[in-house]
Amino acid sequence: MSVRKIKDGVYAVGVNHWDRKLFDEIIPLPNGTSYNSYLIIGSQYTALIDTVDPALQDGLINNLKEFKDLKVDYIISQHAEQDHSGSIPKILEMYPDAKVVTNEKCKELLIEHLGIPDEKFIVIKDYDKLSLGNKTLTFIFTPWVHWPETMSTYLQEDKILFTCDFFGSHYATSELYAKNSEIVLEGAKRYYAEIMMPFRNFIKSNINKIEKFDFEIIAPSHGPMWNDPKFIINAYLDWISPVVKNEVVVLYTSMHGSTKVIVDELYNRLVENGIKVTPFNLVSADLGEIAISLVDAATIIFAFPTVLTGPHPLGASITYFVNAIKPKTKFASFITSYGWGGMTIKWVKEHIGNLKVEMLGELEFKGLPKKEDIEKVNEIVMRIVEAHKSIGIL
Ligand code: FEO
């Protein structure tokens, strides 16, 4: 990715990771991702906002080399996670007089994760300003999006808000701006669902904080920039709102077809009753798609067989993941089949402590589903229908 000018003295110097397939070694990236870094050249000083993943640091270095006689005075570190901070040591080698400007918590993490020496830091407080001459930066602490030290940076003269992961999207593109594209929004929702959703209670207060500033561009550190900030802010407000949608997510796998018979029955009856159903076969499902669906769904159904007295390992894994990302889902149900015995439902119930869900029935059956099992499924469906009606979404 070559250098691109955003405003006079403000440049995008980060890199696209077009062919990255997994984020955090777990979330598929159908459209790659990017690590954005921004260079701000003021009349007196120059600042670099965030760096890039060390795997692609040569791209950042090459971009910086395009500026003749460049001297970086400040490296603003908004987040200590390595996809943004990992190239700081290399940039400090290139510009030995540069200082890393960040908050106390981020400094502590950068020392732990990257071994940056203490004397390299300038520690700032919430709302502190840093003058680059004709350009002024204000630091706004926006914690828990998604680490405790995360912060944003406001460039007053150009009305740009740099937000790092906050409002970022997994989307590699040569375009500077998202242009309210639905596919970029999907990449943003994928990112939100995996790492922001567990901290959604912090997001509203962070949005309230940043909205006190007059910005025209949001420049995140993943994906293109938003030049209609309301578009992505409103999307976040929708995702974090307590309102759920008339949707059921079914997380299933089936070894010999018994669980699948029940899932098909569930699917047909729920659809007949006007409920959107998204079934995910755990053998092949995209974990990012599951997370995205759980941003809005009112109900989740866990349906997998018993293996060796406990949940099928794919079921155990998805239960752990769902509990970790803490969706706002309001209702749940459990279904398992078994060959000779098991404790699957008990295990699942013990591992979803983070979910604040009302239980709408469970079904545990041996071998092939019988008539009474099908009747039980229909009871569960009717409870889901009534539950969705009770909160006014059906
Ligand atoms: Fe994009 Fe939390 O790192």
Side-chain angles (χ1 to χ4, degrees), residues 128-142:
D128 272 0
K129 290 181 187 294
L130 178 69
S131 174
L132 306 179
N134 62 343
K135 293 185 187 290
T136 315
L137 302 177
T138 304
F139 305 106
I140 309 159
F141 291 8
T142 43

Side-chain angles (χ1 to χ4, degrees), residues 23 79 81 83-84 146 165 191 222:
F23 201 71
H79 177 26
E81 196 166 12
D83 51 336
H84 310 291
H146 59 121
D165 282 343
Y191 200 43
H222 293 288

Side-chain angles (χ1 to χ4, degrees), residues 34-38 49-51 76-85 106 140 142 145-147 149-153 161-169 191 195-196 218-224 226 236:
S34 71
Y35 320 111
N36 304 340
S37 176
Y38 300 96
I49 298 190
D50 291 328
T51 65
I76 314 298
S77 181
Q78 302 187 110
H79 177 26
E81 196 166 12
Q82 290 90 332
D83 51 336
H84 310 291
S85 68
C106 192
I140 309 159
T142 43
V145 286
H146 59 121
W147 278 20
E149 85 297 2
T150 45
M151 68 179 197
S152 299
T153 304
L161 183 72
F162 301 92
T163 55
C164 201
D165 282 343
F166 200 19
F167 306 121
S169 60
Y191 200 43
I195 61 169
M196 303 284 174
I218 288 179
S221 293
H222 293 288
W226 305 96
Y236 260 69

Side-chain angles (χ1 to χ4, degrees), residues 73-237:
D73 301 289
Y74 303 114
I75 302 165
I76 314 298
S77 181
Q78 302 187 110
H79 177 26
E81 196 166 12
Q82 290 90 332
D83 51 336
H84 310 291
S85 68
S87 300
I88 291 177
K90 187 68 188 172
I91 301 300
L92 283 171
E93 271 179 36
M94 289 174 67
Y95 305 101
D97 294 331
K99 294 288 186 188
V100 179
V101 179
T102 192
N103 58 67
E104 186 66 48
K105 187 72 193 170
C106 192
K107 172 187 166 182
E108 184 190 312
L109 290 167
L110 290 172
I111 290 173
E112 287 287 344
H113 288 276
L114 300 170
I116 297 171
D118 186 86
E119 65 271 16
K120 286 288 183 186
F121 288 91
I122 294 175
V123 174
I124 47 84
K125 295 194 174 58
D126 204 6
Y127 299 118
D128 272 0
K129 290 181 187 294
L130 178 69
S131 174
L132 306 179
N134 62 343
K135 293 185 187 290
T136 315
L137 302 177
T138 304
F139 305 106
I140 309 159
F141 291 8
T142 43
W144 293 110
V145 286
H146 59 121
W147 278 20
E149 85 297 2
T150 45
M151 68 179 197
S152 299
T153 304
Y154 176 59
L155 172 53
Q156 181 181 309
E157 290 76 7
D158 297 298
K159 298 190 176 181
I160 303 174
L161 183 72
F162 301 92
T163 55
C164 201
D165 282 343
F166 200 19
F167 306 121
S169 60
H170 286 312
Y171 196 79
T173 173
S174 59
E175 299 283 325
L176 264 182
Y177 296 104
K179 297 175 184 164
N180 297 357
S181 142
E182 287 299 324
I183 190 167
V184 180
L185 188 64
E186 180 89 354
K189 195 169 185 179
R190 182 175 285 261
Y191 200 43
Y192 163 85
E194 183 209 351
I195 61 169
M196 303 284 174
M197 188 154 68
F199 306 109
R200 62 183 173 278
N201 291 341
F202 291 89
I203 288 177
K204 185 72 175 77
S205 57
N206 284 332
I207 288 177
N208 289 344
K209 264 182 107 167
I210 61 164
E211 283 196 320
K212 294 192 172 67
F213 293 80
D214 176 23
F215 52 90
E216 294 171 351
I217 295 171
I218 288 179
S221 293
H222 293 288
M225 297 184 292
W226 305 96
N227 57 350
D228 177 7
K230 274 286 168 209
F231 181 77
I232 185 66
I233 290 174
N234 286 340
Y236 260 69
L237 289 172

